[in-house]
Amino acid sequence: MPQTADIVLVGAGLVGLCTALSLLRRGVSGIAVVDRTSISGESTGASAGGLWPGHECLAFASPDIAVRARDAHARLRREFNCDFMPSGLLALVEEGELACARERVRCTRAAGFDAELLAGRALADREPLLRHRGEAVHFPGDGSIHPLKLAAGIASCLRRNGVRICLNEEVRLVDAAGPAIATAAGRISAGTVVVAAGAWTPLLTKLLGWSPPIRPIRGTLLATEAQDAGTLRTVVVGRRYYYWQLACGPVAAGGSEEDVGFLEGVSDEVEADIQREHGGLFPALQDVKFTSRWSGFRPFCGDMCPVIGAVPGSRGVYVSAGHFRKGILLAPLSGELLASEILEGCCPTPAAFRPSRFPLRAPGT
Ligand SMILES: Cc1cc2nc3c(=O)[nH]c(=O)nc-3n(C[C@H](O)[C@H](O)[C@H](O)COP(=O)(O)OP(=O)(O)OC[C@H]3O[C@@H](n4cnc5c(N)ncnc54)[C@H](O)[C@@H]3O)c2cc1C
């Protein structure tokens, strides 16, 4: 580990890596990234890699953020190969929800994304193995990537350009004096510290008297062995879970939201529940076994928005965390926003994302 750095980032998930890349691109040379596991060893590596700005745009604080997130991702993908599959997404419409779905299509188009209602033959042509009586909202611009490939590509670019990436080093202290971080191997004094530690972020910032309401929500995914190309053609979002086929062949399923703290592993009930919905939607795949299962901790923030910017009351300490279900999509934009704030002193981050919305703890509380 270096003893000094211009900027040190805690966390080598996609959010930390994209932030480091944005800083590098703006001319910062002394960057260090410290992680207690590996490159994308937590939520990033466990994620589905879904880029669903169309499907999710109405769930953003403003749909404009979804447009900017989509565009920032597209810029990054021009440089880093990450198996992007522009497969489109089908969100199934349940009985009695057709009027809602029509309104959703209208609002999504107004926000700048393609969306259409499909049913019958048109739906069967899009996803032949799907058995669904009603309609689905089709978002043709959505797709997915391989998040580990993207993270690995960014990490090797960072290393080639002199960024020090220190793995298997747990940060035990973020010290506002300096500022600095400390691990068992020593201390790094830096002009700036960025905490991008996903669901673990408040465990570090609470030492500074500030705890954003970020906590883990476990998500489980299952995958089969490789299947024929085109077994699934789109991402299918059902009532509880979602389904898609990876570029390398396996069909994957899941996306549970489990409020179990940092309890690791996969619950048999959740696995059975995913299999049940999968079997109902894709009866032709009933005999295809899920052979892998894993889970990860999404960084959930109480108001459903990420927290990006200066830590209140601490000079030189910044945070980028709480991206919950959208961190893979939002990471490139988050990196650009935070790099601008750190280097240019401006605050381009939407108000809904700013850390100052969560007050400092009063001394002694
Ligand atoms: C099952 C599942 C499916 C998902 N699907 C999608 C999806 O389709 N699309 C999407 O956009 N998002 C998805 N997500 C969410 C996405 O994965 C996260 O929002 C995103 O990865 C958050 O990135 P991050 O870098 O903030 O956190 P992480 O990837 O968790 O990285 C945080 C890093 O900080 C490190 N760290 C923590 N504490 C310390 C410490 N004290 N010292 C040193 N290092 C530390 C950790 O080791 C970790 O590497 C999914 C998540 C899960 C679990």
Side-chain angles (χ1 to χ4, degrees):
M1 282 211 321
Q3 291 180 340
T4 59
D6 289 335
I7 301 188
V8 62
L9 295 103
V10 184
L14 198 59
V15 171
L17 294 172
C18 285
T19 309
L21 185 68
S22 291
L23 291 164
L24 182 73
R25 292 281 146 84
R26 285 165 161 83
V28 181
S29 51
I31 303 174
V33 179
V34 183
D35 198 294
R36 69 171 161 71
T37 61
S38 52
I39 304 292
S40 51
E42 292 288 355
S43 191
T44 297
S47 88
L51 301 181
W52 309 339
H55 173 54
E56 292 180 323
C57 67
L58 304 178
F60 278 86
S62 122
D64 167 59
I65 300 171
V67 173
R68 291 166 69 192
R70 175 194 66 190
D71 296 347
H73 226 290
R75 284 194 290 277
L76 195 69
R77 291 198 308 273
R78 280 200 280 277
E79 195 180 344
F80 297 99
N81 172 28
C82 51
D83 288 353
F84 175 58
M85 293 192 301
S87 58
L89 179 148
L90 292 168
L92 304 186
V93 178
E94 301 298 329
E95 234 179 291
E97 291 177 0
L98 187 54
C100 241
R102 288 209 173 95
E103 180 60 6
R104 188 172 175 201
V105 168
R106 193 188 67 71
C107 294
T108 301
R109 286 183 181 158
F113 294 92
D114 278 353
E116 60 183 345
L117 264 180
L118 295 182
R121 170 61 37 213
L123 183 54
D125 286 347
R126 192 97 319 270
E127 196 60 272
L129 297 188
L130 173 68
R131 288 293 159 267
H132 176 67
R133 279 185 210 286
E135 292 76 8
V137 182
H138 180 219
F139 300 93
D142 289 356
S144 45
I145 59 159
H146 194 310
L148 284 163
K149 274 198 178 169
L150 179 58
I154 296 173
S156 51
C157 166
L158 292 173
R159 283 196 178 108
R160 275 197 312 276
N161 287 282
V163 174
R164 300 285 298 270
I165 301 186
C166 314
L167 302 176
N168 303 309
E169 290 291 349
E170 175 161 13
V171 173
R172 297 175 173 180
L173 175 74
V174 175
D175 189 350
I181 58 116
T183 74
R187 200 175 154 87
I188 307 180
S189 297
T192 301
V193 170
V194 176
V195 182
W200 295 266
T201 295
L203 303 180
L204 288 168
T205 63
K206 77 174 179 200
L207 306 171
L208 304 166
W210 181 73
S211 288
I214 294 173
R215 62 190 170 89
I217 294 290
R218 193 171 76 181
T220 296
L221 291 171
L222 314 177
T224 68
E225 302 291 330
Q227 305 297 309
D228 293 341
T231 299
L232 293 191
R233 298 181 181 177
T234 56
V235 177
V236 174
V237 179
R239 181 189 283 277
R240 291 169 62 75
Y241 305 111
Y242 49 81
Y243 310 87
W244 81 109
Q245 186 169 16
L246 297 162
C248 53
V251 167
S256 56
E257 289 186 16
E258 303 159 60
D259 197 355
V260 292
F262 284 112
L263 181 66
E264 292 183 358
V266 170
S267 121
D268 290 341
E269 294 88 80
V270 171
E271 180 175 2
D273 201 35
I274 297 169
Q275 286 178 341
R276 217 171 1 258
E277 190 178 80
H278 177 261
L281 292 174
F282 304 101
L285 298 179
Q286 279 279 17
D287 295 334
V288 180
K289 297 271 171 283
F290 287 102
T291 47
S292 327
R293 60 183 210 167
W294 67 94
S295 68
F297 299 112
R298 299 185 194 91
F300 170 81
C301 183
D303 64 0
M304 305 287 282
C305 286
V307 187
I308 304 171
V311 168
S314 297
R315 256 179 97 88
V317 184
Y318 295 80
V319 70
S320 188
H323 296 72
F324 192 39
R325 298 185 67 122
K326 306 189 191 78
I328 305 302
L329 170 64
L330 277 170
L333 176 65
S334 300
E336 290 178 7
L337 292 171
L338 191 54
S340 298
E341 180 169 343
I342 293 171
L343 301 177
E344 290 148 29
C346 60
C347 192
T349 309
F353 291 3
R354 290 191 201 143
S356 52
R357 69 193 195 271
F358 301 117
L360 264 180
R361 238 184 11 233
T365 60

